Amino acid sequence: MRKLVHVFPGQGSQYVGMGKEWYNSFPEARAVFEEANDTLTFDLTKLIFEGSQEMLTLTENAQPALLTVSVAAYRVYMQEVGIEPAYSAGHSLGEFSALTCAGVIMFPDALRIVRQRGIYMQEAAAEGTGSMCAVIGVSKERIEEECNSASAWNPDQMVVVSNYNSSEQIVISGHQEAVTRAAARLEEQGARVSFLKVSAPFHSPLMKTAAAKFEEELQNYSYHAFKWPVISNVTGLPYDSPDQVIVNLTAQMTAPVKWDLSMHYVHQKGVSVGIELGARNILTNLMKLNVKSVACYPLDKPGQLDIIREDLAVEIVEQRRKDKVNNVVTKCLTTAVCTRNRNWDQTEYERGVLEPYRKIQLLQEKLDAPGETGSPTLSQMKEALDLLKLILDTKKVPATEQKERFQIILRDTHTVSLFPEFTHIGA
């Protein structure tokens, strides 16, 4: 099977209505939006679908909005396509989406984190004082020189390189006056410039106070094992362990995004296909600039699933062959049988063990029926897991043992991101 990289877009990709087709067409996507509303205690979905572009672009809104759309697209992708990546990476804010889908940060935690991140960023640079601008067609050395020159012009105004997106596209960030001056000078030298739709100067020293507050915020959450390697924006290399999450995500606020190095790294490791999960196709276009031999497909709307299925047809057949003999329903059956019983009340045992076990058997029989693929749907998997939870509770299995058994099931069936609630039982 070919190696894949999943990439997740960052701020600037947002648009009103993004993700609405996912919401309308797939229950697993709708559940993501509803969870976001419940977690943040305001109607984020309405803001995304019906709000103004101005309100959506505010950093504190754009960040949880983009995270939600990316996670929704990812969960639909896993249900409809199901090929896990060898690596994942996210551009700036997208790194949080990558960490969430890799199981490192739980989705509700990620929502709270990025919402607070956006607030800190907005506070650090009052609206109108900061700016970001993409520069195309000039060498990075030339851009760095002009940033230094524009910053020297006025000690109270500074501009730096914030994103090394490719050899052909660099983004600069800082005080609006300094960014405008540097952009004008570069334009005179033949560069094409485009000011970004963001409300703060990300990845610049202007975010220093925000970074300090954000580091404290990050201390409030737990970080879990990686299901696959995630590339850090700060280093352009994979995280070594969850212990690096706080350090890297704090540094990311003031350090440049090394996207070009990130994509060259995964290419060197044998990746040949990329899937961009979330709004628009900015990272798909950047892939063409960085590594032309890697085919990258955007997944912004449901209609793009067919293109991805066609290209990954061989991988999908192989994955489904594996899933048929190693799926969630089958694993729930075997776990129910092999887990020791500690409850000798016969009435409770019949209602809480034998009846739900028979229901799981019926699910398995449906999967084994002629003409079926053998792969359970999302609702069938959720039903089997809920029935197994009832069985384990009735058998009076300790929470720590239950947690371990669910983690094994989800890990072996590559469904951790679909059912994170079952990996935190008793927490």
Side-chain angles (χ1 to χ4, degrees), residues 5-7 165-166 259 262-264 266-267 271-276 281-297:
V5 62
H6 285 176
V7 293
N165 288 335
S166 75
W259 191 254
S262 300
M263 293 303 98
H264 286 298
V266 297
H267 178 243
V271 165
S272 58
V273 180
I275 309 292
E276 181 176 3
N281 61 349
I282 291 174
L283 301 183
T284 298
N285 292 333
L286 283 180
M287 187 70 81
K288 297 173 185 176
L289 297 177
N290 281 304
V291 190
K292 291 182 174 63
S293 61
V294 174
C296 193
Y297 301 97

Side-chain angles (χ1 to χ4, degrees), residues 59-76:
T59 305
E60 62 194 75
N61 295 330
Q63 297 201 16
L66 286 163
L67 170 71
T68 298
V69 172
S70 282
V71 170
Y74 168 76
R75 291 189 181 174
V76 172

Side-chain angles (χ1 to χ4, degrees), residues 255-269:
V257 172
K258 297 178 180 177
W259 191 254
D260 54 351
L261 294 182
S262 300
M263 293 303 98
H264 286 298
Y265 176 86
V266 297
H267 178 243
Q268 291 167 2
K269 293 298 181 178

Side-chain angles (χ1 to χ4, degrees), residues 290-323:
N290 281 304
V291 190
K292 291 182 174 63
S293 61
V294 174
C296 193
Y297 301 97
L299 193 52
D300 179 29
K301 298 181 185 298
Q304 295 162 329
L305 280 167
D306 289 338
I307 299 171
I308 293 171
R309 286 194 195 98
E310 182 178 350
D311 186 75
L312 298 178
V314 173
E315 286 79 7
I316 290 171
V317 169
E318 176 62 18
Q319 186 65 52
R320 287 181 176 171
R321 184 189 66 78
K322 294 178 181 178
D323 290 345

Side-chain angles (χ1 to χ4, degrees), residues 307-351:
I307 299 171
I308 293 171
R309 286 194 195 98
E310 182 178 350
D311 186 75
L312 298 178
V314 173
E315 286 79 7
I316 290 171
V317 169
E318 176 62 18
Q319 186 65 52
R320 287 181 176 171
R321 184 189 66 78
K322 294 178 181 178
D323 290 345
K324 190 170 184 178
V325 296
N326 190 31
N327 67 61
V328 168
V329 176
T330 306
K331 288 284 188 179
C332 286
L333 274 176
T334 56
T335 301
V337 171
C338 70
T339 303
R340 184 166 71 91
N341 177 48
R342 298 169 174 84
N343 183 357
W344 304 110
D345 185 306
Q346 189 60 32
T347 301
E348 288 185 10
Y349 191 84
E350 287 187 11
R351 291 178 179 174

Side-chain angles (χ1 to χ4, degrees), residues 213-224:
K213 293 178 182 177
F214 189 53
E215 183 175 21
E216 292 185 12
E217 178 70 18
L218 289 170
Q219 302 284 349
N220 298 324
Y221 301 91
S222 298
Y223 306 98
H224 311 281

